[in-house]
Amino acid sequence: RGKHDAAVFPLTGHPPMDVDGWRGLYRIAKNWGINHYRFHSWCPPEAAFTAADLEGIYLQAELPFWGGLESDSVAALLRAEGLAMLDAYGNHPSLVMFSHGNEIWSGHERVEANIIALKEHDPRPLYTMGSNNNIGYVPPRPCCDFFVCARTPFEKDTTLTHTRLTHAYVDSRDGGILNTRTPSTQVNFDVPVSRIDIPLISHEIGQYQVFPDYREIDKYTGVLRAWNLEVFRKRLAKAGMADLDLPFHRASGAWSALCYKAEMEAALRTAGMGGFQLLDLQDFPGQGTALVGMLDAFMDSKGIITPEQWRESCDAVVLLMEFPKYCWTSGETLAGTAAVANYGPVPLRGDIAWHLRRADGTVMAQGLWANPIAPAGGLSTIGRFEAALPELRHPEKLRLEIALSGGSITNSYPLWVYPAAPPPAADEVLVSQTLSDQARSVLAAGGKILLFPRGEELGEGAIPGLFPPDFWNYGMFKGISEWAKKPVSPGTLGLLTDPGHPLFGDFPTDFHSNWQWFSIVRGGYAMVLDDLPAGYRPIVQVIDNLERNHKLGLIFECRVGAGKLLVCMAPLDRLVDKIEAVWLYRSILNYMNSAAFAPEQELDPGLLGGVFQGKKCPPRLN
């Protein structure tokens, strides 16, 4: 259970050179369930090895190389460096793994020759030819003791080969599994692991962006200044959303944490998986600014999730619930299996219980496995669970919990249960796809319009739906995609909304994205609302990335003269086979047919018409 380390030390500009400094860092990582460090194309000082010996952290050191190894002279220099590293640090028991570098895309015969020479010199560490060579498209050679990859190189671009849930758009269609497959807790990496006969470790998993907490700028009191964050903060203010920095941070962070949970559990759910290397537990402020951590660049918690909550999915022993979907219909039977990923030193002892609870804690169903067999060293299936879901009058968010007796090891999952219902009737609301002459007449007469614009017809005035937070950072992979003539990621970071808003009376939601939004977000678009008044806020706002800072609306409302308009950029009228979308549609109409539907913001019809014309909206870059 590893973290990536790219030498991020904002106060000093260099790593600690003392044992206590490194012990402090390792203790933070261990508190978050981490037992392994991968040093990305660098080798730490001896103090790091000594501290890891004392703290019990496995280390993967790497030669300082990232690129194509086309030169014999460079290969010779790297071999000499590797031999020196082994002579200096090889006696440290923490030096468990050794890699030739990062994402080496050519010259693999030279890499192999170097690894063979290093193994002959010191056979004690486990060796690999590199971390994610050629983005996973190059198989391991016989000299490799383990394989680090984001995919296995046997089926080209298919999610069957992936060893993590997300990729950049340039590396996989639509970003991979999490953005293309209906969410469940049954995803694993059995297929790629079965194709490799040495231990497989997934490379740089996660990379889910979190919007900045600009208060971090004040922490840069050493050799570095956070000019990047200062620039991004100014752009947010220029976009008229300076007051949303913390809400964006909390909502994108909560969603990122859920995605990391899914990511780590998919690895733990894979029998025979050697491990994973996060990118990252902490932020990386370089390379365009990649704020992908639960910890900031200083290894301080962002307050998004507690270490105890994180360790439910990242620890020596993890309890897992496997079920096919998060959204259910009343009367269905919730069914799945429970498993234990036990990589602790001893077999698991004790009973394991599960409970299905309502929001108020009421138990709807429960079960118990008495002292199940869960030996140390792998994944064990504990048994099946079933619960008949009751007939409900209104949708509810439930919680599926699992716990070891005594409560020392727990885990939980949200579920949404919706009553069976036909598509809703509009009643006094006119439903339209455009601001047609009829729609304008209804508004002029004081009527109500529910608009489902077709985002694909709005050009750059609308951004396609992206379910997970954008990968790594928008600017870097936008440029790479354009260079490679591949699609560019939509670049968004999830949703921000108010669960107490009356529109959600029949659609339980959090203030952030969660699994029940998948079909809605993926089927929809976010409309660019930059031209609307600065203080205008959508009911459901799509959080844009820190570079672009568009004001983006998924659901928003306004008054137009005497009439009232609500716009939903998800095609709920077409998602009739998705129970969650049907109930969001019903909830919207129930709201619009109530006295609560009283939009505060009045918009000029001409201004509103411009928004719907899909005019070009250049990115905010100054």
Side-chain angles (χ1 to χ4, degrees), residues 354-383:
W354 65 271
H355 295 85
L356 182 64
R357 298 183 188 273
R358 302 183 106 139
D360 63 4
T362 303
V363 175
M364 300 181 70
Q366 60 186 313
L368 179 75
W369 295 282
N371 198 26
I373 298 173
L379 182 70
S380 300
T381 298
I382 298 305

Side-chain angles (χ1 to χ4, degrees), residues 58-87:
Y58 306 119
L59 301 187
Q60 176 182 316
E62 287 188 351
L63 287 171
F65 188 73
W66 183 1
L69 191 52
E70 301 300 335
S71 165
D72 289 336
S73 59
V74 172
L77 289 169
L78 288 170
R79 182 181 299 190
E81 179 72 7
L83 293 171
M85 286 165 58
L86 292 169
D87 287 342

Side-chain angles (χ1 to χ4, degrees), residues 42-54:
W42 74 294
C43 179
E46 182 153 20
F49 292 93
T50 301
D53 298 342
L54 295 168

Side-chain angles (χ1 to χ4, degrees), residues 245-279:
D245 58 344
L246 285 177
F248 284 171
H249 171 73
R250 291 167 181 148
S252 63
W255 179 220
S256 176
L258 286 169
C259 293
Y260 272 112
K261 174 184 174 68
E263 188 84 62
M264 296 184 294
E265 289 191 5
L268 291 170
R269 205 179 293 123
T270 304
M273 190 87 173
F276 56 80
Q277 295 172 344
L278 292 167
L279 189 59

Side-chain angles (χ1 to χ4, degrees), residues 4 38 40 60 62 66 101-103 130-133 135-136 147-151 163-167 200-207 263 273 275-279 471:
H4 156 286
R38 175 234 168 173
H40 181 312
Q60 176 182 316
E62 287 188 351
W66 183 1
N102 179 68
E103 294 180 354
S131 299
N132 202 37
N133 283 350
I135 320 299
F147 187 52
V148 183
C149 64
R151 58 157 55 86
T163 62
R164 67 189 189 198
L165 297 186
T166 53
H167 289 253
L200 186 153
I201 297 174
S202 51
H203 172 78
E204 296 185 354
I205 72 169
Q207 308 195 42
E263 188 84 62
M273 190 87 173
F276 56 80
Q277 295 172 344
L278 292 167
L279 189 59
F471 185 87

